[in-house]
Amino acid sequence: MENRLKGQVATARRSVLTEDVHERVKSLIMNGDLEPGSRVNIYAVARLLDVSQTPVREVLAALESEGLLTKEALRGYSVAPLLTRDQVADLYRLRLLLEPWAAGRAAETVTPETAGRLRAELASLPQAPPGTRYEDYHGIAAHDARFHDLVAELSGSPAVRDALRRTHAHLHLFRLEYEGRRSGEPTLAEHHRVGAAIADGDAAAAESAMREHLAAARDRFLRIGPPTP
């Protein structure tokens, strides 16, 4: 029993360390301290964070799967480039095809339990954060990802949910939106309109609210002026 408990404690500590390194490296990327296109050296990151190379290797692999890093043979990891205007527009074309349908379908099949899950998610972030660094806005970035994933889940379509997850949209878009500015208040207000329509079981209103939300978000990003190719 004692040996088993020791093993569990060691695993927990390792997990906490990896999570801490993950957030610290992600902060470097999201805040632009590691610039888009720059190489990410495992040894340099380990020295900077004063940790061993093992959790850094795990974290860089995880960040590649999240779309924040790219990896090339013989070159290692680099920070993924920011989205261009054309890429932002193309991303929203995809989302406008999938997510209004998902919201409408979620409303058609809503139950007291799923309505409660939506309300709980909306209540998890009462107001937008005031700062423009990742340490300030990571809460709304996480909420945005959870909210859109939840709507996709409630649509009952694993294919739609998986397609949206693969875009890594929230991280790339928040890198653009919060670079020296913030506009979280409209996002939260739009989420509440979508969530209320789904919870009410109004499929037409849910589909319309999601479409309006995505179009407004697209226009906000395009006004920011992401880099051209």
Side-chain angles (χ1 to χ4, degrees):
M1 175 65 74
E2 183 179 355
N3 288 340
R4 194 181 312 133
L5 288 174
K6 284 181 179 179
Q8 290 172 348
V9 171
T11 300
R13 287 176 178 167
R14 170 65 176 279
S15 175
V16 170
L17 173 62
T18 302
E19 289 173 10
D20 178 61
V21 172
H22 184 274
E23 280 304 301
R24 291 166 73 185
V25 177
K26 185 183 284 188
S27 293
L28 293 172
I29 296 170
M30 300 294 280
N31 288 327
D33 298 312
L34 287 171
E35 296 181 351
S38 63
R39 296 275 301 279
V40 181
N41 184 283
I42 292 173
Y43 312 106
V45 172
R47 286 196 302 270
L48 176 66
L49 302 184
D50 193 24
V51 297
S52 72
Q53 296 168 24
T54 300
V56 174
R57 291 181 190 277
E58 294 177 8
V59 164
L60 296 189
L63 291 172
E64 181 193 10
S65 72
E66 293 179 45
L68 289 177
L69 296 178
T70 60
K71 187 178 183 181
E72 296 180 49
L74 305 180
R75 287 182 54 83
Y77 292 99
S78 299
V79 178
L82 291 172
L83 296 175
T84 65
R85 291 181 64 87
D86 286 346
Q87 288 171 325
V88 168
D90 191 47
L91 172 61
Y92 274 100
R93 277 191 287 271
L94 173 65
R95 297 184 71 181
L96 281 162
L97 287 172
L98 299 178
E99 294 194 69
W101 175 87
R105 182 60 181 157
E108 290 174 350
T109 59
V110 71
T111 65
E113 186 270 334
T114 58
R117 290 178 64 192
L118 278 167
R119 294 190 182 102
E121 179 54 49
L122 292 169
S124 71
L125 193 70
Q127 60 186 25
T132 59
R133 288 182 62 79
Y134 177 68
E135 293 82 359
D136 303 312
Y137 71 76
H138 72 90
I140 191 172
H143 159 72
D144 184 76
R146 290 194 306 266
F147 178 77
H148 285 275
D149 181 66
L150 178 57
V151 172
E153 177 194 343
L154 298 183
S155 76
S157 172
V160 167
R161 190 181 186 191
D162 186 58
L164 292 172
R165 281 179 168 177
R166 288 174 183 273
T167 67
H168 307 298
H170 67 288
L171 289 173
H172 287 296
L173 293 171
F174 273 86
R175 276 205 295 168
L176 290 173
E177 186 171 9
Y178 274 81
E179 191 176 80
R181 61 189 70 79
R182 65 185 180 90
S183 57
E185 294 89 348
T187 296
L188 291 182
E190 291 156 12
H191 283 184
H192 277 272
R193 286 193 286 273
V194 174
I198 294 174
D200 288 343
D202 190 333
E207 186 172 338
S208 177
M210 180 64 85
R211 184 175 292 107
E212 291 172 4
H213 165 47
L214 294 173
R218 175 199 60 203
D219 293 346
R220 284 194 293 270
F221 288 121
L222 292 179
R223 279 197 299 272
I224 291 169
T228 54

